[in-house]
Amino acid sequence: MKAIICSKYGNPENLKLGNVEKPDPKDNELLIKIYAATVNRTDCAILRAKPFIMRFVTGVFKPKKLIPGTEFAGKIEAVGDNVNTYKVDDKVFGFDDTGLQSHAQYMTISKDKALALMPENLTYEQAAASIEGAHYAYNFINKVDIKSGQKVLVNGATGAIGSAVVQFLKYFGVYVTAVCNS
Ligand SMILES: NC(=O)c1ccc[n+]([C@@H]2O[C@H](COP(=O)([O-])OP(=O)(O)OC[C@H]3O[C@@H](n4cnc5c(N)ncnc54)[C@H](OP(=O)(O)O)[C@@H]3O)[C@@H](O)[C@H]2O)c1
């Protein structure tokens, strides 16, 4: 299969299009044909290995995972013997900030990782681009006790995380004041 290969940390020039073996799903994994993936802020941080402390997860001297990509939307092509929560041809999307190797034609993912069936009204492109910001947004607001009628100021409300925070807060009935750069 075709994939983006990143064998050393640095700039986008280090990313090369290459051919690699198509992965085989293990018993608890799904094989997914990727229809859309993003280049998000987490991908950029992993490429540059900044902040440095990330290297203890991503690889000290060079990336442990040769293929970048943390978000995806695609269709299940095969499932392992122990997978009964998803089936072939299901449309799914997901995110993992430690790297999913989704900048490729195919990837495998454990059935227990952060993935879900795609809402029917979303395109692959919309689904793939909807997750990273929402993931961090939910991780932040999940730590506080949010009640309907509260007032919250969101600084950076037009960004990936901020626009997701605004939508979660509105869902919980919070009064939002949104601030952006301009
Ligand atoms: N710790 C983590 O794991 C983690 C993970 C992801 C992101 N982050 C951090 O979280 C922050 C947001 O990430 P993001 O992906 O949502 O970024 P983003 O999409 O680039 O959004 C940045 C937001 O900040 C606003 N902004 C810029 N300068 C501002 C200023 N002077 N005053 C008020 N708002 C200002 C922008 O407004 P405009 O639209 O008007 O430019 C935009 O709303 C970043 O600092 C990022 O590094 C941390």
Side-chain angles (χ1 to χ4, degrees), residues 41 136 155-162 179-182:
R41 185 207 151 275
Y136 291 122
N155 197 19
T158 45
I161 300 173
V179 180
C180 63
N181 188 17
S182 51

PDB file of all heavy atoms in Angstrom, residues 41 136 155-162 179-182, ligand 1:
ATOM      1  N   ARG A  41      -2.616  19.504  14.696  1.00  0.00           N
ATOM      2  CA  ARG A  41      -1.553  20.064  15.528  1.00  0.00           C
ATOM      3  C   ARG A  41      -0.725  18.967  16.196  1.00  0.00           C
ATOM      4  O   ARG A  41       0.499  19.080  16.327  1.00  0.00           O
ATOM      5  CB  ARG A  41      -2.190  20.977  16.590  1.00  0.00           C
ATOM      6  CG  ARG A  41      -1.168  21.701  17.422  1.00  0.00           C
ATOM      7  CD  ARG A  41      -1.728  22.017  18.783  1.00  0.00           C
ATOM      8  NE  ARG A  41      -0.645  22.057  19.730  1.00  0.00           N
ATOM      9  CZ  ARG A  41      -0.160  20.983  20.346  1.00  0.00           C
ATOM     10  NH1 ARG A  41      -0.670  19.801  20.118  1.00  0.00           N
ATOM     11  NH2 ARG A  41       0.832  21.110  21.186  1.00  0.00           N
ATOM     12  N   TYR A 136      -9.750  16.968  22.867  1.00  0.00           N
ATOM     13  CA  TYR A 136      -9.117  17.791  23.901  1.00  0.00           C
ATOM     14  C   TYR A 136     -10.160  18.636  24.631  1.00  0.00           C
ATOM     15  O   TYR A 136     -10.075  18.823  25.840  1.00  0.00           O
ATOM     16  CB  TYR A 136      -8.014  18.670  23.305  1.00  0.00           C
ATOM     17  CG  TYR A 136      -6.822  17.872  22.839  1.00  0.00           C
ATOM     18  CD1 TYR A 136      -6.389  17.925  21.514  1.00  0.00           C
ATOM     19  CD2 TYR A 136      -6.137  17.053  23.727  1.00  0.00           C
ATOM     20  CE1 TYR A 136      -5.305  17.179  21.092  1.00  0.00           C
ATOM     21  CE2 TYR A 136      -5.055  16.304  23.301  1.00  0.00           C
ATOM     22  CZ  TYR A 136      -4.641  16.365  21.989  1.00  0.00           C
ATOM     23  OH  TYR A 136      -3.575  15.619  21.579  1.00  0.00           O
ATOM     24  N   ASN A 155     -11.438  31.435  25.739  1.00  0.00           N
ATOM     25  CA  ASN A 155     -10.387  32.214  25.079  1.00  0.00           C
ATOM     26  C   ASN A 155      -9.815  31.349  23.951  1.00  0.00           C
ATOM     27  O   ASN A 155      -9.318  30.259  24.199  1.00  0.00           O
ATOM     28  CB  ASN A 155      -9.302  32.559  26.113  1.00  0.00           C
ATOM     29  CG  ASN A 155      -8.404  33.678  25.636  1.00  0.00           C
ATOM     30  OD1 ASN A 155      -8.773  34.427  24.726  1.00  0.00           O
ATOM     31  ND2 ASN A 155      -7.243  33.798  26.242  1.00  0.00           N
ATOM     32  N   GLY A 156      -9.889  31.826  22.709  1.00  0.00           N
ATOM     33  CA  GLY A 156      -9.481  31.003  21.558  1.00  0.00           C
ATOM     34  C   GLY A 156     -10.651  30.187  21.043  1.00  0.00           C
ATOM     35  O   GLY A 156     -10.497  29.016  20.681  1.00  0.00           O
ATOM     36  N   ALA A 157     -11.820  30.817  20.979  1.00  0.00           N
ATOM     37  CA  ALA A 157     -13.063  30.072  20.718  1.00  0.00           C
ATOM     38  C   ALA A 157     -13.263  29.687  19.263  1.00  0.00           C
ATOM     39  O   ALA A 157     -14.152  28.891  18.960  1.00  0.00           O
ATOM     40  CB  ALA A 157     -14.263  30.891  21.192  1.00  0.00           C
ATOM     41  N   THR A 158     -12.457  30.234  18.344  1.00  0.00           N
ATOM     42  CA  THR A 158     -12.634  29.892  16.924  1.00  0.00           C
ATOM     43  C   THR A 158     -11.695  28.786  16.474  1.00  0.00           C
ATOM     44  O   THR A 158     -11.757  28.336  15.337  1.00  0.00           O
ATOM     45  CB  THR A 158     -12.392  31.143  16.040  1.00  0.00           C
ATOM     46  OG1 THR A 158     -11.205  31.797  16.521  1.00  0.00           O
ATOM     47  CG2 THR A 158     -13.560  32.096  16.086  1.00  0.00           C
ATOM     48  N   GLY A 159     -10.813  28.324  17.366  1.00  0.00           N
ATOM     49  CA  GLY A 159      -9.845  27.298  16.990  1.00  0.00           C
ATOM     50  C   GLY A 159     -10.444  25.904  17.035  1.00  0.00           C
ATOM     51  O   GLY A 159     -11.642  25.726  17.273  1.00  0.00           O
ATOM     52  N   ALA A 160      -9.587  24.896  16.792  1.00  0.00           N
ATOM     53  CA  ALA A 160     -10.049  23.505  16.767  1.00  0.00           C
ATOM     54  C   ALA A 160     -10.656  23.118  18.116  1.00  0.00           C
ATOM     55  O   ALA A 160     -11.776  22.604  18.187  1.00  0.00           O
ATOM     56  CB  ALA A 160      -8.865  22.591  16.437  1.00  0.00           C
ATOM     57  N   ILE A 161      -9.912  23.383  19.191  1.00  0.00           N
ATOM     58  CA  ILE A 161     -10.392  23.002  20.518  1.00  0.00           C
ATOM     59  C   ILE A 161     -11.510  23.943  20.964  1.00  0.00           C
ATOM     60  O   ILE A 161     -12.554  23.507  21.439  1.00  0.00           O
ATOM     61  CB  ILE A 161      -9.245  23.014  21.553  1.00  0.00           C
ATOM     62  CG1 ILE A 161      -8.148  22.032  21.129  1.00  0.00           C
ATOM     63  CG2 ILE A 161      -9.760  22.672  22.939  1.00  0.00           C
ATOM     64  CD1 ILE A 161      -6.890  22.081  21.983  1.00  0.00           C
ATOM     65  N   GLY A 162     -11.270  25.252  20.762  1.00  0.00           N
ATOM     66  CA  GLY A 162     -12.233  26.249  21.236  1.00  0.00           C
ATOM     67  C   GLY A 162     -13.607  26.083  20.617  1.00  0.00           C
ATOM     68  O   GLY A 162     -14.632  26.170  21.317  1.00  0.00           O
ATOM     69  N   VAL A 179     -13.994  34.476  22.759  1.00  0.00           N
ATOM     70  CA  VAL A 179     -12.930  35.438  22.415  1.00  0.00           C
ATOM     71  C   VAL A 179     -12.007  34.797  21.388  1.00  0.00           C
ATOM     72  O   VAL A 179     -11.685  33.618  21.491  1.00  0.00           O
ATOM     73  CB  VAL A 179     -12.097  35.813  23.672  1.00  0.00           C
ATOM     74  CG1 VAL A 179     -11.005  36.811  23.319  1.00  0.00           C
ATOM     75  CG2 VAL A 179     -12.988  36.368  24.758  1.00  0.00           C
ATOM     76  N   CYS A 180     -11.616  35.576  20.360  1.00  0.00           N
ATOM     77  CA  CYS A 180     -10.630  35.064  19.406  1.00  0.00           C
ATOM     78  C   CYS A 180      -9.575  36.139  19.176  1.00  0.00           C
ATOM     79  O   CYS A 180      -9.621  37.204  19.782  1.00  0.00           O
ATOM     80  CB  CYS A 180     -11.299  34.640  18.104  1.00  0.00           C
ATOM     81  SG  CYS A 180     -12.092  35.988  17.234  1.00  0.00           S
ATOM     82  N   ASN A 181      -8.631  35.870  18.308  1.00  0.00           N
ATOM     83  CA  ASN A 181      -7.511  36.786  18.083  1.00  0.00           C
ATOM     84  C   ASN A 181      -7.997  38.102  17.473  1.00  0.00           C
ATOM     85  O   ASN A 181      -7.701  39.180  17.960  1.00  0.00           O
ATOM     86  CB  ASN A 181      -6.479  36.120  17.186  1.00  0.00           C
ATOM     87  CG  ASN A 181      -5.204  36.928  17.072  1.00  0.00           C
ATOM     88  OD1 ASN A 181      -4.945  37.818  17.882  1.00  0.00           O
ATOM     89  ND2 ASN A 181      -4.411  36.612  16.077  1.00  0.00           N
ATOM     90  N   SER A 182      -8.761  37.952  16.370  1.00  0.00           N
ATOM     91  CA  SER A 182      -9.153  39.151  15.634  1.00  0.00           C
ATOM     92  C   SER A 182     -10.348  39.839  16.267  1.00  0.00           C
ATOM     93  O   SER A 182     -10.761  40.884  15.849  1.00  0.00           O
ATOM     94  CB  SER A 182      -9.444  38.769  14.186  1.00  0.00           C
ATOM     95  OG  SER A 182     -10.331  37.675  14.134  1.00  0.00           O
TER      96      SER A 182
HETATM   97  N1  LIG B   1      -1.667  20.115  25.797  1.00  0.00           N
HETATM   98  C1  LIG B   1      -2.110  19.471  24.746  1.00  0.00           C
HETATM   99  O1  LIG B   1      -2.163  18.258  24.725  1.00  0.00           O
HETATM  100  C2  LIG B   1      -2.600  20.270  23.578  1.00  0.00           C
HETATM  101  C3  LIG B   1      -3.138  19.606  22.515  1.00  0.00           C
HETATM  102  C4  LIG B   1      -3.612  20.349  21.467  1.00  0.00           C
HETATM  103  C5  LIG B   1      -3.513  21.726  21.537  1.00  0.00           C
HETATM  104  N2  LIG B   1      -2.946  22.332  22.584  1.00  0.00           N
HETATM  105  C6  LIG B   1      -2.845  23.793  22.675  1.00  0.00           C
HETATM  106  O2  LIG B   1      -4.171  24.332  22.818  1.00  0.00           O
HETATM  107  C7  LIG B   1      -4.261  25.597  22.139  1.00  0.00           C
HETATM  108  C8  LIG B   1      -5.414  25.590  21.139  1.00  0.00           C
HETATM  109  O3  LIG B   1      -5.184  24.593  20.141  1.00  0.00           O
HETATM  110  P1  LIG B   1      -6.032  24.589  18.791  1.00  0.00           P
HETATM  111  O4  LIG B   1      -5.606  23.373  18.055  1.00  0.00           O
HETATM  112  O5  LIG B   1      -7.485  24.777  19.105  1.00  0.00           O
HETATM  113  O6  LIG B   1      -5.434  25.892  18.087  1.00  0.00           O
HETATM  114  P2  LIG B   1      -5.998  26.729  16.824  1.00  0.00           P
HETATM  115  O7  LIG B   1      -6.971  25.926  16.041  1.00  0.00           O
HETATM  116  O8  LIG B   1      -4.811  27.299  16.147  1.00  0.00           O
HETATM  117  O9  LIG B   1      -6.809  27.921  17.531  1.00  0.00           O
HETATM  118  C9  LIG B   1      -6.178  28.983  18.193  1.00  0.00           C
HETATM  119  C10 LIG B   1      -7.253  29.907  18.761  1.00  0.00           C
HETATM  120  O10 LIG B   1      -6.631  30.916  19.556  1.00  0.00           O
HETATM  121  C11 LIG B   1      -7.125  32.192  19.120  1.00  0.00           C
HETATM  122  N3  LIG B   1      -6.151  33.225  19.452  1.00  0.00           N
HETATM  123  C12 LIG B   1      -4.913  33.407  18.910  1.00  0.00           C
HETATM  124  N4  LIG B   1      -4.340  34.473  19.466  1.00  0.00           N
HETATM  125  C13 LIG B   1      -5.211  34.951  20.403  1.00  0.00           C
HETATM  126  C14 LIG B   1      -5.205  36.057  21.293  1.00  0.00           C
HETATM  127  N5  LIG B   1      -4.173  36.902  21.356  1.00  0.00           N
HETATM  128  N6  LIG B   1      -6.291  36.218  22.110  1.00  0.00           N
HETATM  129  C15 LIG B   1      -7.351  35.395  22.057  1.00  0.00           C
HETATM  130  N7  LIG B   1      -7.417  34.345  21.209  1.00  0.00           N
HETATM  131  C16 LIG B   1      -6.367  34.131  20.402  1.00  0.00           C
HETATM  132  C17 LIG B   1      -7.431  32.002  17.645  1.00  0.00           C
HETATM  133  O11 LIG B   1      -8.301  33.029  17.175  1.00  0.00           O
HETATM  134  P3  LIG B   1      -8.389  33.425  15.580  1.00  0.00           P
HETATM  135  O12 LIG B   1      -9.274  32.382  14.940  1.00  0.00           O
HETATM  136  O13 LIG B   1      -9.027  34.775  15.567  1.00  0.00           O
HETATM  137  O14 LIG B   1      -6.988  33.422  15.045  1.00  0.00           O
HETATM  138  C18 LIG B   1      -8.086  30.626  17.691  1.00  0.00           C
HETATM  139  O15 LIG B   1      -9.417  30.744  18.176  1.00  0.00           O
HETATM  140  C19 LIG B   1      -2.889  25.817  21.482  1.00  0.00           C
HETATM  141  O16 LIG B   1      -2.133  26.625  22.332  1.00  0.00           O
HETATM  142  C20 LIG B   1      -2.299  24.419  21.400  1.00  0.00           C
HETATM  143  O17 LIG B   1      -0.892  24.418  21.376  1.00  0.00           O
HETATM  144  C21 LIG B   1      -2.508  21.622  23.616  1.00  0.00           C
END
